[in-house]
Amino acid sequence: TLRKLFERLGATYVKLGQFVASSPTLFPAEYVLEFQKCLDSSPAVPFETIRRIIEADLGMPLERAYASFDERPLASASVAQVHAARLPSGEDVVVKVQKPGVRDVLKADLGFIAVATRLLQ
């Protein structure tokens, strides 16, 4: 299906699919229904990758920044995933982590879409 193609093409196209899913007045009902599956979830990034991203961003080990950190994500979307954690102060928080490589993919895809749009005009 077109949705599966969008998922294989990556985050930018999943975002476009999410736009279709949330715009029932602009697109045919069968597209809206199919692309609603893009709203549910995306595959999670392995925890060790998430750990490396967080530790690089914070400049310290995860165990120093958090009293506890749930390795299983609460949710995983096309661009980021979220994890439950507890700060050393005891406060419960949710940590949103951008998936690796997403920024570069979005930039490249949006650049291509902008060029393609100009050519089609």
Side-chain angles (χ1 to χ4, degrees):
T1 67
L2 186 58
R3 173 187 56 85
K4 288 182 181 178
L5 173 64
F6 274 35
E7 288 173 345
R8 281 195 301 275
L9 289 171
T12 305
Y13 294 90
V14 170
K15 282 291 182 196
L16 289 173
Q18 291 170 344
F19 172 71
V20 171
S22 56
S23 304
T25 58
L26 299 176
F27 298 98
E30 58 270 14
Y31 286 151
V32 171
L33 288 173
E34 182 63 23
F35 280 108
Q36 282 178 346
K37 295 173 185 168
C38 290
L39 298 173
D40 294 338
S41 68
S42 294
V45 172
F47 181 70
E48 282 310 310
T49 303
I50 294 299
R51 172 189 284 279
R52 283 193 299 274
I53 292 169
I54 294 169
E55 289 179 344
D57 285 351
L58 297 179
M60 68 177 75
L62 199 64
E63 293 77 16
R64 206 165 105 217
Y66 300 98
S68 66
F69 197 98
D70 193 348
E71 293 185 13
R72 196 181 81 250
L74 294 171
S76 178
S78 57
V79 174
Q81 66 189 51
V82 294
H83 291 262
R86 179 168 287 132
L87 298 175
S89 66
E91 182 181 4
D92 289 326
V93 295
V94 174
V95 180
K96 186 174 185 177
V97 183
Q98 186 176 25
K99 291 182 173 181
V102 166
R103 179 173 301 186
D104 293 336
V105 169
L106 288 173
K107 275 186 184 176
D109 288 349
L110 292 175
F112 169 76
I113 290 169
V115 169
T117 302
R118 279 190 229 113
L119 290 173
L120 292 172
Q121 287 178 343

